[in-house]
Amino acid sequence: MMALAMMAGSTIIAAAQSPEPQWRHASSLLGEPKYPPGFKHYDYVNPDAPKGGTLNQVAEGTFDSLNPYVVQGVPAAGFANFGGGMLYDTLMSDSTDQSSTSYGLVAEAIQYPDDFSWVKFRLNPAARWHDGQPITVEDVIWSFETLKKQSPPYNKYYGDVIKAEKTGEREVTFTFSEKGNRELPQIMGQLAVLPKHWWEGTDAQGRKRDISRPTLEIPLGSSAYRVEKVMPGRSIIWARVEDYWGKDLPVHVGRNNFDRIQYDYYLDANATWEAFKKGGLYDYRAENRMQRWMQGYNFPAVQRGDVIKQAFPYHAIGRMQAYFLNTRRDKFKDPKVREALNWVYDFQSMNRLLFFNQYKRIESYFAGIDLASSGLPTGKELEILETVRDEVPPEVFTKEFKEPVFDTPQATRENLRHAMQLFKEAGYTLKDGALVDKNGKPFTIEFLGNDPTDERIFNPFVANLRRVGIRATVRIVDSAQYQARVSDFDYDSIATIIGQGESPGNEQREYWSSAAADIKGSRNYSGIKNPAIDKLIDRVVYAKDRDDLVAATHALDRVLLWNYYVVPQWYDDDIHVAYWNKFGMPEKQPDYSGIDPFSWWIDPAKERALQVRGE
């Protein structure tokens, strides 16, 4: 007993003397951060890049709010409903040239234990709001509590964070409900820090501000830019903050070089295209229409070299770009119906006729990165899937997921015939050319879009659906109505994209979880309520290490695919960018994110030359 007591006492002493977790300058879920403590700047930037000039950009539709953290209203360009956008600094800054890595911003250091049960941030004493007041721990706590309460993305993302408290003069600690979530310490660094004193104050008319409502009052910020001028629904101008407190931080050196960034609003994509061709209104654009990239850039400015086309490798995200099927509606509840719709979609013809065979078919919710599942499940992934074997389609274990291929007339006939068999098994029959249910009700699908050009990606699918008796239509509405209907889940199907990073985690709950399905404004566009998927999301969130995370993500991907919640579309490994030749650029751009326009600068000589030729 004496020996046991001594051993117990030794254990207590050892525990009491256990060292405090180290303070870190950065956080990475992929191992060591690329840059060490004390680094000066990202290695791709020009640290001596000149400041000045105006970057002209455009936005589509309209806006009616400068508060992006509420479901109501459409926020102006430059604001973001998650993260700080251009106005607010976050605790940490996500790296532009390495996945799942962040460096100090409002917080100069981060600390967390080996069991990931909490995270602590030490604020930079230099951090200031644009009015000169310091950014405080109280601001951080208020921001967290407010955003988690009223913002669906924050509510789900930080669902496991149960407490925020001040634990030092410049230290704030977040406590988690569970241990083992490797991602939580890092993603807490993505918290946008908002000015408590401003939002709890009054406006020029003496009215108390309300962060739970849209507003057109220019908010107080803390970042490299501030809102200089707003013309509601028409334009917004951002001005570089000359005395920005963080301009010499390593993540900002050589960046934020434009004196002004002006966004003018245009009705639709065709109008923005015409603005780009005209010059002086829209300085660079990422081109997402392959037909236009291949055939449309033949106007005089391109021919004389005033507009440059360039493709940049892009490895920042995986993605599921698809027609999302709203399973909140009875007609999409049967998996056989959803699978049948996949057998009707002819990607190969679209790729040949519209996209010059430049795109790849998406066959994963993480297409383009190594988190995409393939083959049959083995090893740790198979072990994870065994825990939900009775709750998932049997094909998860027996077949490699592959989409139908429409490469010959015979394949087309066979694919459509297979679709009709699936519809029959789901209780539908063909009557007088219409697909009807057992009550004689026709099967209809309305695709919802917000731009006339959306018809281009809907119509080929619509035509094929009509071949099997489905009354498919396209409804184009304005941007405000589209946003409202999507937030209310008022659609049959929308075409959209869910981006994925190299370290998935809490955000998967907002995309696919049962809890998010009925939260207005969430990104669970398909309305998924599946206990097996909920369990697999938890396996992703609480992965013990990288290998465990990859296996859990592969398992989640595979189960999502075999439930046919979407009809996948296509993707590309490059970003296609066209820009007016007025910029100076670093010799290289970050391989991870493809481009970093904030590392560009205006070259006055080039800009003058453009102006002379345009006169």
Side-chain angles (χ1 to χ4, degrees):
M1 291 191 56
M2 180 68 72
L4 289 173
M6 289 179 65
M7 290 176 63
S10 299
T11 301
I12 292 171
I13 291 172
Q17 294 177 347
S18 178
E20 184 177 335
Q22 65 175 322
W23 284 103
R24 309 164 187 260
H25 78 292
S27 175
S28 178
L29 295 173
L30 301 180
E32 287 299 313
K34 178 177 179 179
Y35 300 102
F39 78 103
K40 301 301 182 184
H41 53 77
Y42 291 131
D43 61 11
Y44 67 87
V45 304
N46 172 8
D48 300 316
K51 309 290 186 183
T54 297
L55 172 66
N56 299 294
Q57 288 297 92
V58 302
E60 292 180 23
T62 187
F63 68 92
D64 57 11
S65 178
L66 304 184
N67 178 10
Y69 304 115
V70 290
V71 175
Q72 312 99 312
V74 179
F79 289 90
N81 70 346
F82 191 90
M86 289 175 57
L87 186 64
Y88 303 110
D89 280 334
T90 48
L91 287 170
M92 305 285 283
S93 177
D94 286 343
S95 174
T96 57
D97 68 347
Q98 185 181 14
S99 174
S100 305
T101 301
S102 58
Y103 298 94
L105 191 52
V106 170
E108 64 181 5
I110 180 175
Q111 181 189 76
Y112 50 86
D114 292 340
D115 65 2
F116 306 103
S117 59
W118 53 265
V119 65
K120 183 184 294 185
F121 296 94
R122 187 176 69 222
L123 304 193
N124 190 322
R128 292 287 186 276
W129 300 106
H130 292 157
D131 65 1
Q133 292 199 36
I135 298 177
T136 66
V137 170
E138 288 75 17
D139 288 321
V140 176
I141 295 173
W142 182 84
S143 300
F144 166 74
E145 293 175 345
T146 300
L147 292 173
K148 189 177 178 184
K149 177 181 178 181
Q150 72 180 40
S151 167
Y154 275 100
N155 181 270
K156 299 308 299 179
Y157 205 50
Y158 295 145
D160 287 341
V161 186
I162 58 175
K163 183 171 60 174
E165 58 185 332
K166 185 174 183 177
T167 51
E169 184 60 30
R170 291 187 289 114
E171 296 177 5
V172 57
T173 299
F174 297 93
T175 303
F176 309 144
S177 61
E178 302 282 348
K179 299 177 181 179
N181 187 336
R182 296 172 60 250
E183 185 192 43
L184 262 184
Q186 175 147 329
I187 67 173
M188 283 310 310
Q190 297 171 345
L191 177 69
V193 184
L194 312 180
K196 178 182 179 182
H197 71 282
W198 190 87
W199 280 105
E200 291 190 340
T202 57
D203 63 17
Q205 287 74 42
R207 296 173 297 199
K208 190 169 183 358
R209 298 186 178 99
D210 183 357
I211 194 171
S212 69
R213 304 291 301 169
T215 182
L216 284 171
E217 181 185 10
I218 295 176
L220 176 69
S222 62
S223 198
Y225 287 88
R226 61 178 177 82
V227 178
E228 181 177 74
K229 184 179 180 181
V230 177
M231 296 184 67
R234 296 174 57 188
S235 68
I236 181 170
I237 299 175
W238 295 81
R240 185 169 58 85
V241 178
E242 291 280 351
D243 60 350
Y244 169 48
W245 74 271
K247 63 182 178 180
D248 295 324
L249 292 177
V251 295
H252 288 316
V253 170
R255 304 179 68 231
N256 304 316
N257 301 317
F258 309 115
D259 276 353
R260 281 173 177 74
I261 302 177
Q262 176 166 336
Y263 290 92
D264 289 318
Y265 275 74
Y266 290 83
L267 181 63
D268 54 35
N270 283 333
T272 64
W273 170 239
E274 293 302 321
F276 179 76
K277 290 195 296 183
K278 183 176 181 180
L281 303 171
Y282 186 8
D283 292 335
Y284 80 88
R285 60 180 276 130
E287 183 56 70
N288 58 10
R289 284 185 59 184
M290 186 58 67
Q291 182 181 34
R292 178 176 286 157
W293 184 254
M294 301 295 288
Q295 295 182 323
Y297 286 83
N298 55 4
F299 50 95
V302 177
Q303 296 166 351
R304 64 176 179 259
D306 288 344
V307 168
I308 309 296
K309 291 174 61 183
Q310 192 167 351
F312 297 88
Y314 181 55
H315 309 295
I317 64 168
R319 76 284 282 168
M320 171 52 78
Q321 178 176 311
Y323 306 95
F324 283 70
L325 305 173
N326 188 357
T327 64
R328 300 171 186 86
R329 302 200 163 173
D330 289 341
K331 58 189 167 186
F332 298 123
K333 289 189 183 300
D334 190 330
K336 290 186 181 296
V337 168
R338 302 195 299 267
E339 181 182 356
L341 295 174
N342 277 262
W343 283 89
V344 178
Y345 178 61
D346 180 356
F347 163 74
Q348 282 71 32
S349 293
M350 287 185 68
N351 198 29
R352 183 179 69 256
L353 298 173
L354 299 181
F355 308 139
F356 300 84
N357 285 320
Q358 295 296 303
Y359 287 140
K360 301 176 182 178
R361 182 73 194 274
I362 284 181
E363 293 185 307
S364 167
Y365 281 73
F366 300 83
I369 58 178
D370 67 358
L371 294 174
S373 60
S374 62
L376 293 176
T378 59
K380 186 175 290 187
E381 180 192 353
L382 180 57
E383 292 176 16
I384 293 170
L385 287 168
E386 288 288 356
T387 66
V388 293
R389 177 181 279 272
D390 295 337
E391 304 172 73
V392 303
E395 293 87 350
V396 165
F397 298 91
T398 60
K399 294 182 181 180
E400 180 179 11
F401 185 87
K402 290 292 182 182
E403 293 288 2
V405 175
F406 288 72
D407 55 353
T408 66
Q410 181 182 0
T412 297
R413 289 191 296 271
E414 290 176 355
N415 291 341
L416 296 181
R417 187 158 46 242
H418 186 65
M420 291 303 302
Q421 177 60 34
L422 289 167
F423 280 125
K424 181 179 179 181
E425 293 172 12
Y428 288 88
T429 56
L430 201 60
K431 183 177 181 181
D432 298 328
L435 192 69
V436 298
D437 64 14
K438 60 184 180 181
N439 298 316
K441 182 180 179 180
F443 193 105
T444 64
I445 299 179
E446 179 185 88
F447 293 96
L448 182 67
N450 65 346
D451 190 278
T453 60
D454 288 343
E455 294 183 349
R456 183 170 162 272
I457 65 168
F458 288 134
N459 282 342
F461 193 17
V462 165
N464 252 24
L465 290 168
R466 288 173 177 169
R467 291 179 66 180
V468 296
I470 293 175
R471 296 181 182 177
T473 57
V474 179
R475 172 70 63 87
I476 303 298
V477 297
D478 63 45
S479 295
Q481 187 178 356
Y482 178 83
Q483 183 60 52
R485 287 188 60 175
V486 170
S487 294
D488 287 339
F489 309 124
D490 181 18
Y491 51 83
D492 285 344
S493 179
I494 58 172
T496 191
I497 182 170
I498 293 288
Q500 297 279 10
E502 288 280 2
S503 296
N506 285 26
E507 75 286 345
Q508 304 305 306
R509 290 171 171 158
E510 192 199 353
Y511 300 158
W512 329 117
S513 77
S514 300
D518 296 325
I519 297 177
K520 298 295 179 67
S522 83
R523 286 177 284 180
N524 187 345
Y525 299 122
S526 290
I528 298 170
K529 290 185 176 181
N530 186 319
I533 288 173
D534 292 336
K535 293 173 185 175
L536 293 174
I537 290 172
D538 281 345
R539 289 300 301 259
V540 171
V541 171
Y542 294 106
K544 297 175 182 178
D545 52 36
R546 181 67 186 176
D547 288 344
D548 196 37
L549 175 67
V550 171
T553 304
H554 285 169
L556 173 63
D557 183 31
R558 202 179 298 273
V559 173
L560 285 167
L561 288 168
W562 279 107
N563 276 283
Y564 293 100
Y565 295 113
V566 303
V567 180
Q569 295 177 339
W570 53 82
Y571 76 102
D572 194 349
D573 287 322
D574 291 333
I575 294 178
H576 298 95
V577 179
Y579 57 90
W580 284 84
N581 191 16
K582 62 183 280 187
F583 298 105
M585 296 184 184
E587 292 183 3
K588 65 173 184 175
Q589 287 287 277
D591 291 336
Y592 162 65
S593 56
I595 62 172
D596 175 15
F598 284 95
S599 70
W600 303 358
W601 61 92
I602 303 297
D603 184 319
K606 290 182 178 179
E607 189 171 44
R608 282 194 298 272
L610 286 178
Q611 292 168 349
V612 169
R613 286 193 290 272
E615 290 176 353

